[in-house]
Amino acid sequence: MTVIYVITTGGTIEKGYSEQTGSVSNLDSKIDRYLRQLRLPDTDVRVLPLLNKDSLEMTETDRELILEKVRGLLDKNAPIIITHGTDTMVDTGLHLQRALHDLKAPIVLTGAMTPLGFEGSDGLQNLTESLLAARTLAPGVYVVIHNQVFPVDRVKKDRELSQFVWIS
Amino acid sequence: MTVIYVITTGGTIEKGYSEQTGSVSNLDSKIDRYLRQLRLPDTDVRVLPLLNKDSLEMTETDRELILEKVRGLLDKNAPIIITHGTDTMVDTGLHLQRALHDLKAPIVLTGAMTPLGFEGSDGLQNLTESLLAARTLAPGVYVVIHNQVFPVDRVKKDRELSQFVWIS
Amino acid sequence: MTVIYVITTGGTIEKGYSEQTGSVSNLDSKIDRYLRQLRLPDTDVRVLPLLNKDSLEMTETDRELILEKVRGLLDKNAPIIITHGTDTMVDTGLHLQRALHDLKAPIVLTGAMTPLGFEGSDGLQNLTESLLAARTLAPGVYVVIHNQVFPVDRVKKDRELSQFVWIS
Amino acid sequence: MTVIYVITTGGTIEKGYSEQTGSVSNLDSKIDRYLRQLRLPDTDVRVLPLLNKDSLEMTETDRELILEKVRGLLDKNAPIIITHGTDTMVDTGLHLQRALHDLKAPIVLTGAMTPLGFEGSDGLQNLTESLLAARTLAPGVYVVIHNQVFPVDRVKKDRELSQFVWIS
């Protein structure tokens, strides 16, 4: 049984629709509920809810909190997935990459352009891909999304196209 | 083959999520796409997109436009469904009830608390119910939603509970 | 709060796929689980699982059992929905119609051409329609399916078209 | 843009429900339709329908046909996914492994325990995983399913558990 940690921080992937306000926002963590739709007979996924924020509102303090959470897990030598808003996902990933050395397992950042459970959502696809990447990639910090695997220092978000692209 | 007209005016039922803005709004009509999920071998549903508005932004001019659209269909003696935002659905229905006399078929207003295609949406349920109500109710103006049928002058929205309730 | 009884007897609407045999069959009742997808703030649906059979295998004894179950509920003066395989749904309905007199509420038979939860299923549509019909129809025995309401002595199944049609 | 070939051969993943017979069988290819639910901005998936068979009915001639199809694609140096019934997926994979040498890209076999589009299906999960595996694995022949990656000579199906397990 392979252990994979999933740290949730909010972002579009976890947003929900409020009938009272008629708007979408980060209400609570819903990664756990969607992971139950996957068959994972040999994977022990441990979800650790940490933040519940739109990534445009993430502060340096929040990134430090994520770093400390990751650091606390490193001695497990297990892959770590971080679900995160796409707008500043790369910033958080670079922060981790700069601070962490001698990784023994991959750290995968993922998220979604449309919330889990909304028609056309890419959330479950990205979670599924990240779980497979977490088992198969070499140690390092990556963004995994839309059937693409990017080392975190080689990627940026293209907001207009709603996708991630390589930087040279 | 029974003809039923469906006039769409926007409202939550038709809202969509924009990846660029991260918010929900009335982008375009999607009633038609969802009706295709239903089996209607003996029903000829004719969708007539009219407005694309949050019902809180509906003006008297808009209500007059809806009334004129309905009036133009009355000589068909066919049921009419109007999809509408729930916040002012009753206002529009009362406007129709006051202006129209000697109806030969029911006029049904419906909508949704959560947009079509979002998890937990009540949109397809309400469309399904309205189509059946349109075939079976006596002439008159009704709100049909959540397995309830209300004459339009006997109902109000309870915003906190996200449902419609009787008034005495 | 309106009470509606739902007697489940099996049929395609409740069939499930078995990974061990690779086939579909009536494994257990799943009406209850799908009803939870509907918003029914003013309806108290009481599901009574009775049989779990393909309707082609239903015997006269089974029909007698359904009749006795219905008879036992008549003093509630509440609508009754019977979920049933489509192949012999009309036979069961006619059996009820012949035996029961002075009904105070409608009895609605419904089912599905494709099981609940299979792509393209008409099951949830038919349940939704039947619940509305149960609240609005006059006393009598009906088949409700695909936005159609048939008195049970006026309908037959067209197997080739997968729909119900009027008989003269 | 990365090219990935997908050869479809039938199996449970592509089975469909027939309303006329009330049973599931391999009617036609539906991989293509489900792939459209995924966001693949940088992947050019080319679906090549080859067979439409329950894998228990696959003959040596069928396996030879699959081998020839794969052989014909080898000069593209592109990853190949083969969708296949799970019961004899390993047999087909071993046949390919024995016959093919000096692979330049991975060959991934996948399938499903429950057909695409049936509630609880693992089909889209397995397709999503296979597409990621096809981009990231070293050359070789693999079974990819349920967040597991198996070299084809190290795996067998456990029919009772509906999963794949390691052999020593």
Side-chain angles (χ1 to χ4, degrees):
Chain A
M1 191 74 94
T2 296
V3 173
I4 299 177
Y5 292 94
V6 177
I7 299 171
T8 69
T9 72
T12 295
I13 192 169
E14 296 209 271
K15 283 187 179 171
Y17 180 78
S18 161
E19 300 196 342
Q20 274 63 44
T21 65
S23 64
V24 294
S25 58
N26 285 102
L27 305 165
D28 48 26
S29 179
K30 56 185 194 181
I31 294 291
D32 215 19
R33 184 154 48 89
Y34 280 86
L35 286 174
R36 284 198 287 273
Q37 295 184 16
L38 302 179
R39 298 204 196 188
L40 304 168
D42 186 44
T43 313
D44 177 2
V45 180
R46 303 189 184 172
V47 179
L48 309 171
L50 182 65
L51 293 168
N52 213 14
K53 277 202 173 178
D54 187 308
S55 80
L56 289 173
E57 292 164 12
M58 255 192 206
T59 63
E60 283 314 302
T61 311
D62 293 326
R63 294 210 159 81
E64 209 50 39
L65 191 67
I66 296 171
L67 173 59
E68 286 320 302
K69 190 76 179 177
V70 169
R71 217 192 283 275
L73 294 170
L74 288 187
D75 66 335
K76 313 287 190 189
N77 291 334
I80 298 170
I81 294 170
I82 301 167
T83 59
H84 196 289
T86 54
D87 283 316
T88 69
M89 178 185 287
V90 172
D91 300 328
T92 298
L94 289 171
H95 187 67
L96 296 175
Q97 191 186 50
R98 277 188 296 261
L100 301 171
H101 303 283
D102 289 323
L103 290 174
K104 298 291 186 296
I107 296 174
V108 172
L109 292 113
T110 198
M113 299 299 175
T114 285
L116 282 163
F118 287 27
E119 59 174 355
S121 175
D122 52 337
L124 196 59
Q125 172 187 346
N126 296 334
L127 284 178
T128 304
E129 291 170 359
S130 294
L131 285 165
L132 195 87
R135 286 188 78 138
T136 55
L137 294 179
V141 183
Y142 304 88
V143 168
V144 173
I145 192 162
H146 302 164
N147 198 37
Q148 295 183 278
V149 175
F150 301 96
V152 73
D153 52 7
R154 299 288 308 287
V155 65
K156 66 173 180 185
K157 178 175 175 181
D158 181 323
R159 296 192 66 167
E160 210 174 319
L161 293 178
S162 282
Q163 64 184 75
F164 281 79
V165 295
W166 292 92
I167 55 175
S168 39
Chain B
M1 191 73 96
T2 296
V3 174
I4 299 177
Y5 292 94
V6 177
I7 299 171
T8 69
T9 72
T12 295
I13 192 169
E14 295 209 272
K15 283 188 179 170
Y17 180 77
S18 161
E19 299 195 344
Q20 273 64 44
T21 65
S23 64
V24 294
S25 57
N26 284 102
L27 305 165
D28 48 26
S29 179
K30 56 184 194 182
I31 294 291
D32 216 19
R33 184 154 48 89
Y34 280 86
L35 286 174
R36 284 197 288 274
Q37 295 183 16
L38 301 180
R39 299 205 195 188
L40 304 167
D42 186 45
T43 313
D44 177 2
V45 180
R46 305 190 183 170
V47 179
L48 308 171
L50 181 65
L51 293 168
N52 212 14
K53 277 202 172 178
D54 186 309
S55 80
L56 288 173
E57 292 164 14
M58 257 194 203
T59 62
E60 283 314 301
T61 311
D62 294 326
R63 295 212 158 80
E64 209 51 39
L65 190 67
I66 296 171
L67 172 59
E68 286 320 302
K69 189 76 178 179
V70 168
R71 217 193 282 275
L73 295 169
L74 288 186
D75 65 335
K76 313 287 190 189
N77 291 333
I80 298 170
I81 294 171
I82 301 168
T83 59
H84 196 291
T86 54
D87 283 317
T88 69
M89 177 185 286
V90 172
D91 300 327
T92 299
L94 289 171
H95 187 67
L96 296 174
Q97 190 186 49
R98 278 189 295 263
L100 302 170
H101 301 283
D102 289 323
L103 291 174
K104 298 291 186 295
I107 297 174
V108 172
L109 293 113
T110 198
M113 299 298 172
T114 285
L116 282 163
F118 288 26
E119 58 174 355
S121 175
D122 52 335
L124 197 59
Q125 173 188 346
N126 296 335
L127 284 177
T128 304
E129 291 170 0
S130 294
L131 286 165
L132 195 86
R135 287 187 78 139
T136 54
L137 293 180
V141 184
Y142 304 89
V143 169
V144 173
I145 192 163
H146 302 164
N147 198 37
Q148 294 182 278
V149 175
F150 301 97
V152 73
D153 52 6
R154 298 288 309 286
V155 64
K156 65 173 181 185
K157 179 174 175 181
D158 181 323
R159 296 192 66 169
E160 211 175 318
L161 293 178
S162 281
Q163 65 185 73
F164 281 78
V165 295
W166 291 92
I167 55 176
S168 39
Chain C
M1 191 74 96
T2 295
V3 173
I4 299 178
Y5 292 94
V6 178
I7 299 171
T8 70
T9 72
T12 294
I13 191 168
E14 295 209 271
K15 282 188 179 168
Y17 180 78
S18 160
E19 300 195 342
Q20 274 64 43
T21 65
S23 64
V24 294
S25 58
N26 285 102
L27 305 166
D28 48 26
S29 178
K30 56 185 193 181
I31 295 291
D32 216 19
R33 184 155 47 90
Y34 280 85
L35 285 175
R36 284 197 287 273
Q37 295 183 16
L38 301 179
R39 298 205 195 187
L40 304 167
D42 186 44
T43 313
D44 177 3
V45 180
R46 304 190 184 171
V47 179
L48 308 171
L50 182 65
L51 294 167
N52 212 14
K53 277 201 171 178
D54 187 309
S55 80
L56 289 173
E57 292 163 14
M58 254 191 207
T59 62
E60 283 314 302
T61 311
D62 293 326
R63 293 210 160 81
E64 210 51 40
L65 190 66
I66 295 171
L67 173 59
E68 287 320 303
K69 190 76 179 178
V70 169
R71 216 193 283 276
L73 294 170
L74 288 186
D75 66 336
K76 313 286 189 189
N77 292 333
I80 298 170
I81 294 171
I82 302 168
T83 60
H84 196 291
T86 54
D87 283 316
T88 70
M89 177 185 288
V90 172
D91 300 328
T92 298
L94 290 170
H95 187 67
L96 296 176
Q97 191 185 50
R98 278 189 296 261
L100 301 171
H101 301 283
D102 289 322
L103 291 175
K104 298 291 186 295
I107 296 174
V108 172
L109 293 113
T110 198
M113 299 298 174
T114 285
L116 281 163
F118 288 26
E119 59 173 356
S121 175
D122 52 336
L124 197 58
Q125 173 188 346
N126 296 334
L127 284 178
T128 304
E129 291 170 1
S130 294
L131 286 165
L132 195 87
R135 286 188 78 138
T136 55
L137 293 179
V141 183
Y142 304 88
V143 169
V144 173
I145 193 163
H146 301 164
N147 198 37
Q148 295 183 278
V149 175
F150 301 96
V152 74
D153 52 7
R154 298 288 309 286
V155 66
K156 65 173 180 185
K157 178 175 174 180
D158 182 322
R159 295 192 67 167
E160 209 174 319
L161 293 178
S162 281
Q163 63 184 74
F164 281 79
V165 296
W166 291 91
I167 55 176
S168 38
Chain D
M1 192 73 96
T2 296
V3 173
I4 299 177
Y5 292 93
V6 177
I7 300 171
T8 70
T9 72
T12 295
I13 192 170
E14 296 209 271
K15 283 188 179 168
Y17 180 78
S18 161
E19 299 195 343
Q20 273 63 44
T21 66
S23 64
V24 294
S25 58
N26 284 102
L27 305 165
D28 49 25
S29 179
K30 56 185 194 182
I31 295 291
D32 216 20
R33 183 153 49 86
Y34 280 85
L35 286 174
R36 284 198 288 274
Q37 294 183 17
L38 302 180
R39 298 204 195 188
L40 304 167
D42 185 45
T43 312
D44 177 2
V45 180
R46 303 189 183 172
V47 178
L48 308 171
L50 182 65
L51 293 169
N52 212 15
K53 277 201 172 179
D54 186 308
S55 80
L56 289 173
E57 293 164 13
M58 255 193 204
T59 64
E60 284 314 302
T61 311
D62 293 328
R63 293 211 160 80
E64 210 50 41
L65 190 67
I66 296 171
L67 173 59
E68 287 320 302
K69 190 75 178 179
V70 169
R71 217 193 281 277
L73 294 170
L74 288 186
D75 66 335
K76 313 286 190 189
N77 292 333
I80 298 170
I81 294 170
I82 301 167
T83 59
H84 196 290
T86 54
D87 283 317
T88 69
M89 177 185 285
V90 172
D91 300 328
T92 298
L94 289 172
H95 187 67
L96 296 175
Q97 190 186 51
R98 278 190 295 263
L100 302 170
H101 302 283
D102 288 324
L103 290 175
K104 298 291 186 296
I107 297 174
V108 173
L109 293 114
T110 198
M113 299 298 172
T114 285
L116 282 163
F118 287 26
E119 58 174 356
S121 175
D122 52 335
L124 197 59
Q125 173 188 345
N126 296 334
L127 284 178
T128 304
E129 291 171 0
S130 295
L131 286 165
L132 195 87
R135 286 188 78 139
T136 55
L137 293 180
V141 183
Y142 304 89
V143 169
V144 173
I145 192 163
H146 302 165
N147 198 36
Q148 294 183 277
V149 175
F150 302 96
V152 73
D153 52 7
R154 299 288 310 285
V155 65
K156 66 173 181 184
K157 178 175 175 181
D158 181 323
R159 296 193 65 168
E160 210 174 319
L161 292 179
S162 281
Q163 64 185 72
F164 282 79
V165 295
W166 291 92
I167 55 176
S168 38

